[in-house]
Amino acid sequence: MIDFDLPERVSVAGDNALVPFLRQHPDAPLRIHANRLRRLDTPLVQTLLAAAADRRRRGIDFVLTGLSSAQADQLAALGVTTAVLPMELAE
């Protein structure tokens, strides 16, 4: 798997490294680390869901790791499950 560390803030509409990273590795299994991420906004969640769905459809691994329990709760409140976005809590 190829790892990517999300920064504290990510704006997928603005300048960021996530979208270019996803484009550079379209067929690679990915592990996205959210340990430093402070805020999950809707465009970021949509980007992660789209990337996960694309890879799931093609049988390629994708996982979001290092989530705080508050972030996991926020995703759950949005209806995001591990079936649509594989995720792991921070240790």
Side-chain angles (χ1 to χ4, degrees):
M1 288 190 111
I2 299 175
D3 294 307
F4 180 84
D5 293 319
L6 290 169
E8 286 185 15
R9 292 181 172 231
V10 177
S11 170
V12 295
D15 216 14
N16 71 75
L18 176 62
V19 174
F21 173 80
L22 294 172
R23 287 186 183 137
Q24 290 169 355
H25 304 286
D27 300 320
L30 301 178
R31 183 179 307 117
I32 308 296
H33 299 276
N35 302 68
R36 296 185 311 164
L37 186 66
R38 295 214 180 263
R39 183 171 165 244
L40 275 169
D41 63 11
T42 303
L44 174 59
V45 173
Q46 290 172 327
T47 300
L48 294 170
L49 287 170
D54 174 61
R55 282 170 173 75
R56 181 176 53 256
R57 180 181 53 79
R58 297 183 296 130
I60 301 169
D61 289 337
F62 184 94
V63 63
L64 178 62
T65 66
L67 289 169
S68 69
S69 56
Q71 290 168 326
D73 290 345
Q74 182 181 7
L75 288 169
L78 294 170
V80 178
T81 67
T82 56
V84 295
L85 179 59
M87 55 187 128
E88 299 170 353
L89 292 176
E91 295 179 5

